Amino acid sequence: MLKKDTYVSMSIPALSTARENLIEKDKNDVLASFRDHFSLPEGIIYLDGNSLGPLPLGAAERAAEVINNEWAQGLIRSWNTAGWFEMPSRLGDKLSKLIGGNDGETVVTDTTSLNLFKAIASTVRIQQQDAPGRRVILSERDNFPTDIYIAEGISDFLNSVKEETGEHYEVRLIDETLSLEDALDDSVAVLALSHVNYRTGAMWDMHAVTDQAHAAGALVIWDLAHAAGAVPVDLNGSNADYAVGCTYKYLNGGPGSPAFIWVNARHQGRFWQPLTGWWSHAAPFEMTDSYTAANDVRRFLCGTQPIASMAMVECGLDVSLAADMELVRAKSLALTDLFISLVNERCGEFGLELITPENHADRGSHVSFRHPEGYAIIQALIDRGVIGDYREPEVLRFGITPLYLSYTEIWDAVEILRDILETQAWDVPAYKNRNAVT
Ligand SMILES: *Cc1c(COP(=O)(O)O)cnc(C)c1O
């Protein structure tokens, strides 16, 4: 896996943006064949793989196998005979390879929100023992809301049970008025950040930030929701403490597919998490009347897992594991550069404001623009077969996924965007009614 520095110095020649050159570029694209692993509808340019990845072809087959064979025929026996019970760890080992983890450090389980709860609780507990005065959970105001809400929930819970002691926990957020450096004082127990920002696509330097937090005495949790499968991640190389993330975004695991949690092997002897369900017990089927934690990463499990959904996660993982992450990153940068240049060239006069960092080392694999009519523009694009999404406030977000997108599709998407802006096709009431999911 490439170190991030390599990308900073890697010069990616500026692409000619003429469509015939892009057709040529697609012909020579060594990742082009990966598109054949996915089922994508005809006539759609899918720029939302950062929100819900498409269906890997193998997943439909695998789902049929789980349902018709393992469940219908195998029944309860399949927990043993079809490998259901080991699935969280077996898939965790596969996932580990994509994020710079080792075997035995990752499990696939639960949701990102739940896993973040476990990870924060775990770091707070370690700090209670090692540095009891540290009671700040540090995150950033611009983080994905669930990450902030979960931190608040833990802090509120700790405060409610410790009311009389005066040991007050709090959530502190980095923003324009508070830098990471200033926020990292000796009251911080844990720093919990998203590697790639869900809204802007801005990427933290995992290695540098982890070093900085450790030097200040804090533990570090990385949320890899928009990073796993999208950018090279090196958790052990960065010496991170914990990480969590989704499998339904760039890892193409399916709607609501189980998430993952990684813990650095150095914490495995002592880490603890409060959702002490029986799947995290050292010997669940001894049915003992008291809890003893499993002595490995299974300690992060809680209860019975969603096997059918988890089985499909493996199909997405297998596709990502077959791709060279170095090539995926190079193509991601080339495609995002192309998208940014074309929007500049072709849509410059329509008031789209780029909010994604242009510097390669500072961005993930999606590109976002602000526009006051962002929601309506996205609806108009979707009607024309270009699927992106909308995030408050005023943000049009486009996921750029090298495994199934071509250079010409980026060109075509920008032409459709230009047409919508030029003709003001977005300016109709139907495009302004908000759906429940934006
Ligand atoms: C998508 C995303 C989540 C989603 O959490 P769920 O529990 O799966 O709903 C969490 N954090 C970040 C940073 C995300 O981008």
Side-chain angles (χ1 to χ4, degrees), residues 46-87:
Y46 195 54
L47 305 182
D48 215 359
N50 57 322
S51 217
L52 174 64
L55 173 71
L57 286 183
E61 219 174 291
R62 182 74 180 102
E65 153 91 10
V66 172
I67 291 165
N68 298 328
N69 224 339
E70 298 178 5
W71 180 12
Q73 303 301 320
L75 294 166
I76 191 80
R77 294 169 289 189
S78 287
W79 284 107
N80 290 312
T81 57
W84 286 357
F85 190 63
E86 290 76 33
M87 212 186 280

Coordinates of all heavy atoms in Angstrom, one line a residue, residues 46-87:
Y46 N -23.8 6.8 -12.4 CA -24.0 6.7 -11.0 C -22.9 7.4 -10.2 O -21.8 6.9 -10.1 CB -24.1 5.2 -10.6 CG -24.6 5.0 -9.2 CD1 -25.9 5.6 -8.9 CD2 -23.9 4.3 -8.2 CE1 -26.4 5.4 -7.6 CE2 -24.5 4.2 -7.0 CZ -25.7 4.8 -6.7 OH -26.2 4.6 -5.4
L47 N -23.3 8.6 -9.7 CA -22.3 9.4 -9.0 C -22.7 9.4 -7.5 O -22.6 10.4 -6.8 CB -22.2 10.8 -9.5 CG -21.9 10.9 -11.0 CD1 -21.8 12.3 -11.5 CD2 -20.6 10.1 -11.4
D48 N -23.1 8.3 -7.0 CA -23.6 8.2 -5.6 C -23.1 7.0 -4.9 O -23.6 6.5 -3.9 CB -25.1 8.3 -5.5 CG -25.5 9.1 -4.2 OD1 -24.6 9.5 -3.4 OD2 -26.7 9.3 -4.0
G49 N -22.0 6.4 -5.4 CA -21.4 5.2 -4.8 C -20.8 5.4 -3.4 O -20.5 4.5 -2.7
N50 N -20.7 6.7 -3.1 CA -20.2 7.1 -1.7 C -21.3 7.0 -0.7 O -21.1 7.1 0.5 CB -19.6 8.5 -1.7 CG -20.6 9.5 -2.2 OD1 -21.4 9.2 -3.1 ND2 -20.6 10.7 -1.6
S51 N -22.6 6.8 -1.2 CA -23.7 6.8 -0.3 C -24.3 5.4 -0.3 O -24.5 4.8 0.8 CB -24.8 7.7 -0.8 OG -25.4 8.4 0.3
L52 N -24.5 4.8 -1.4 CA -24.9 3.4 -1.5 C -24.2 2.8 -2.8 O -24.6 3.2 -3.9 CB -26.4 3.2 -1.6 CG -26.9 1.8 -1.9 CD1 -26.5 0.9 -0.8 CD2 -28.4 1.8 -2.2
G53 N -23.3 1.9 -2.6 CA -22.6 1.3 -3.7 C -23.5 0.4 -4.5 O -24.6 0.0 -4.0
P54 N -23.3 0.2 -5.8 CA -24.1 -0.7 -6.6 C -24.0 -2.1 -6.3 O -23.1 -2.5 -5.5 CB -23.6 -0.4 -8.1 CG -22.2 -0.1 -7.9 CD -22.1 0.6 -6.6
L55 N -24.8 -2.9 -6.9 CA -24.9 -4.4 -6.6 C -23.7 -5.1 -7.4 O -23.7 -5.1 -8.6 CB -26.2 -4.9 -7.2 CG -26.4 -6.4 -7.1 CD1 -26.6 -7.0 -5.7 CD2 -27.6 -6.8 -8.0
P56 N -22.8 -5.8 -6.6 CA -21.9 -6.6 -7.3 C -22.6 -7.8 -7.8 O -23.5 -8.4 -7.2 CB -20.9 -7.1 -6.1 CG -21.2 -6.2 -5.0 CD -22.6 -5.7 -5.2
L57 N -22.2 -8.3 -9.0 CA -23.0 -9.4 -9.7 C -23.0 -10.6 -8.8 O -24.0 -11.2 -8.6 CB -22.3 -9.7 -11.0 CG -22.6 -8.8 -12.1 CD1 -21.9 -9.3 -13.4 CD2 -24.1 -8.5 -12.3
G58 N -21.9 -10.9 -8.1 CA -21.8 -12.1 -7.3 C -22.8 -12.0 -6.1 O -23.1 -13.1 -5.5
A59 N -23.2 -10.8 -5.7 CA -24.1 -10.7 -4.5 C -25.5 -11.3 -4.7 O -26.0 -11.9 -3.8 CB -24.2 -9.3 -4.1
A60 N -26.0 -11.2 -5.9 CA -27.4 -11.7 -6.2 C -27.3 -13.2 -6.1 O -28.2 -13.8 -5.5 CB -27.8 -11.3 -7.6
E61 N -26.3 -13.8 -6.6 CA -26.1 -15.2 -6.6 C -25.9 -15.7 -5.1 O -26.4 -16.7 -4.7 CB -24.8 -15.5 -7.4 CG -24.9 -16.8 -8.2 CD -23.6 -16.8 -9.1 OE1 -23.4 -16.0 -10.0 OE2 -22.7 -17.6 -8.8
R62 N -25.0 -15.0 -4.4 CA -24.7 -15.4 -3.1 C -26.0 -15.3 -2.2 O -26.2 -16.1 -1.3 CB -23.6 -14.4 -2.5 CG -23.2 -14.7 -1.1 CD -22.3 -16.0 -1.0 NE -21.9 -16.2 0.4 CZ -22.4 -17.1 1.2 NH1 -23.4 -17.9 0.7 NH2 -22.0 -17.3 2.4
A63 N -26.8 -14.2 -2.4 CA -28.0 -14.1 -1.6 C -28.9 -15.3 -1.9 O -29.5 -15.8 -0.9 CB -28.7 -12.8 -2.0
A64 N -29.0 -15.7 -3.1 CA -29.9 -16.8 -3.5 C -29.4 -18.1 -2.8 O -30.2 -18.9 -2.2 CB -29.9 -17.0 -5.0
E65 N -28.1 -18.2 -2.7 CA -27.5 -19.4 -2.1 C -27.8 -19.4 -0.6 O -28.1 -20.4 0.0 CB -26.0 -19.3 -2.4 CG -25.0 -20.0 -1.4 CD -24.7 -21.4 -1.7 OE1 -25.1 -21.8 -2.8 OE2 -24.1 -22.1 -0.9
V66 N -27.6 -18.2 0.1 CA -27.9 -18.1 1.5 C -29.3 -18.5 1.8 O -29.6 -19.2 2.7 CB -27.5 -16.7 2.0 CG1 -28.0 -16.6 3.5 CG2 -26.0 -16.4 1.9
I67 N -30.2 -17.9 1.0 CA -31.6 -18.1 1.3 C -32.1 -19.5 0.9 O -32.7 -20.2 1.7 CB -32.4 -17.0 0.6 CG1 -32.1 -15.7 1.2 CG2 -33.9 -17.3 0.6 CD1 -32.6 -14.5 0.4
N68 N -31.8 -19.9 -0.3 CA -32.4 -21.2 -0.8 C -31.7 -22.4 -0.3 O -32.2 -23.5 -0.2 CB -32.4 -21.2 -2.3 CG -33.2 -20.1 -2.9 OD1 -34.2 -19.7 -2.3 ND2 -32.8 -19.6 -4.0
N69 N -30.4 -22.3 0.0 CA -29.6 -23.4 0.4 C -29.3 -23.4 1.9 O -29.8 -24.3 2.6 CB -28.3 -23.4 -0.4 CG -27.9 -24.7 -1.0 OD1 -28.4 -25.7 -0.5 ND2 -27.1 -24.7 -1.9
E70 N -28.5 -22.4 2.3 CA -28.1 -22.4 3.7 C -29.2 -22.3 4.7 O -29.2 -22.9 5.7 CB -27.0 -21.3 3.8 CG -25.8 -21.5 3.0 CD -24.8 -20.4 3.1 OE1 -25.0 -19.5 3.9 OE2 -23.8 -20.4 2.3
W71 N -30.2 -21.4 4.3 CA -31.3 -21.2 5.2 C -32.3 -22.3 5.0 O -32.7 -23.1 5.9 CB -31.9 -19.8 5.1 CG -33.1 -19.5 5.9 CD1 -33.5 -20.2 7.0 CD2 -33.9 -18.4 5.8 NE1 -34.6 -19.6 7.5 CE2 -34.9 -18.4 6.8 CE3 -34.0 -17.3 4.9 CZ2 -35.9 -17.5 7.0 CZ3 -35.0 -16.3 5.0 CH2 -36.0 -16.5 6.1
A72 N -32.9 -22.3 3.8 CA -34.0 -23.2 3.5 C -33.6 -24.7 3.7 O -34.4 -25.5 4.3 CB -34.5 -23.1 2.1
Q73 N -32.5 -25.1 3.3 CA -32.1 -26.5 3.4 C -31.3 -26.8 4.7 O -31.6 -27.8 5.4 CB -31.3 -27.0 2.2 CG -32.0 -26.8 0.9 CD -33.3 -27.5 0.8 OE1 -33.4 -28.7 1.2 NE2 -34.3 -26.9 0.2
G74 N -30.3 -26.0 4.9 CA -29.4 -26.2 6.1 C -30.1 -25.9 7.4 O -29.7 -26.5 8.4
L75 N -31.0 -25.0 7.4 CA -31.7 -24.5 8.7 C -30.7 -24.2 9.8 O -29.6 -23.7 9.5 CB -32.7 -25.6 9.1 CG -33.9 -25.8 8.1 CD1 -34.7 -27.0 8.4 CD2 -34.8 -24.5 8.2
I76 N -30.9 -24.6 11.0 CA -30.1 -24.2 12.1 C -28.7 -24.8 12.0 O -27.7 -24.2 12.5 CB -30.7 -24.7 13.4 CG1 -30.0 -24.1 14.7 CG2 -30.8 -26.2 13.6 CD1 -30.5 -22.7 15.0
R77 N -28.5 -25.9 11.2 CA -27.2 -26.5 11.1 C -26.2 -25.5 10.4 O -25.0 -25.7 10.6 CB -27.3 -27.8 10.2 CG -28.2 -28.8 10.9 CD -28.5 -30.0 9.9 NE -29.5 -29.6 8.9 CZ -30.1 -30.4 8.0 NH1 -29.8 -31.7 8.0 NH2 -31.0 -29.9 7.2
S78 N -26.7 -24.6 9.6 CA -25.8 -23.7 8.9 C -25.0 -22.8 9.8 O -23.9 -22.3 9.3 CB -26.6 -22.9 7.9 OG -27.0 -23.7 6.8
W79 N -25.4 -22.6 11.0 CA -24.5 -21.9 11.9 C -23.1 -22.5 12.0 O -22.1 -21.8 12.0 CB -25.1 -21.7 13.3 CG -26.2 -20.7 13.4 CD1 -27.5 -21.0 13.5 CD2 -26.0 -19.3 13.3 NE1 -28.2 -19.8 13.5 CE2 -27.4 -18.8 13.4 CE3 -25.0 -18.4 13.2 CZ2 -27.6 -17.4 13.4 CZ3 -25.2 -17.1 13.2 CH2 -26.5 -16.6 13.2
N80 N -23.1 -23.9 11.9 CA -21.8 -24.6 11.9 C -21.4 -24.9 10.5 O -20.2 -24.7 10.2 CB -22.0 -25.9 12.7 CG -22.1 -25.6 14.2 OD1 -21.3 -24.8 14.8 ND2 -23.1 -26.2 14.9
T81 N -22.3 -25.4 9.7 CA -21.9 -26.0 8.4 C -21.6 -25.0 7.3 O -20.9 -25.2 6.4 CB -22.9 -27.0 7.9 OG1 -24.2 -26.4 7.8 CG2 -23.0 -28.2 8.9
A82 N -22.2 -23.8 7.4 CA -22.1 -22.8 6.4 C -21.2 -21.6 6.9 O -21.1 -20.6 6.2 CB -23.4 -22.3 5.9
G83 N -20.6 -21.8 8.0 CA -19.6 -20.8 8.5 C -20.3 -19.5 8.9 O -19.7 -18.4 9.0
W84 N -21.6 -19.6 9.3 CA -22.3 -18.4 9.7 C -21.6 -17.8 11.0 O -21.5 -16.6 11.1 CB -23.7 -18.7 10.0 CG -24.6 -18.9 8.8 CD1 -24.2 -18.8 7.5 CD2 -26.0 -19.2 8.8 NE1 -25.2 -19.1 6.7 CE2 -26.3 -19.3 7.4 CE3 -26.9 -19.5 9.8 CZ2 -27.6 -19.7 7.0 CZ3 -28.2 -19.8 9.4 CH2 -28.6 -19.9 8.0
F85 N -21.3 -18.6 12.0 CA -20.9 -18.1 13.3 C -19.6 -17.4 13.2 O -19.4 -16.4 13.8 CB -20.8 -19.3 14.3 CG -20.5 -18.8 15.7 CD1 -21.5 -18.1 16.3 CD2 -19.4 -19.2 16.4 CE1 -21.3 -17.6 17.6 CE2 -19.2 -18.7 17.7 CZ -20.1 -18.0 18.3
E86 N -18.7 -17.8 12.3 CA -17.4 -17.2 12.1 C -17.4 -16.0 11.2 O -16.3 -15.3 11.0 CB -16.3 -18.2 11.6 CG -15.9 -19.3 12.5 CD -17.0 -20.4 12.6 OE1 -17.7 -20.6 11.6 OE2 -17.1 -21.0 13.7
M87 N -18.5 -15.8 10.6 CA -18.5 -14.8 9.5 C -18.0 -13.4 9.9 O -17.2 -12.8 9.2 CB -19.9 -14.7 8.9 CG -19.9 -14.3 7.4 SD -21.5 -14.0 6.7 CE -22.1 -15.7 6.5

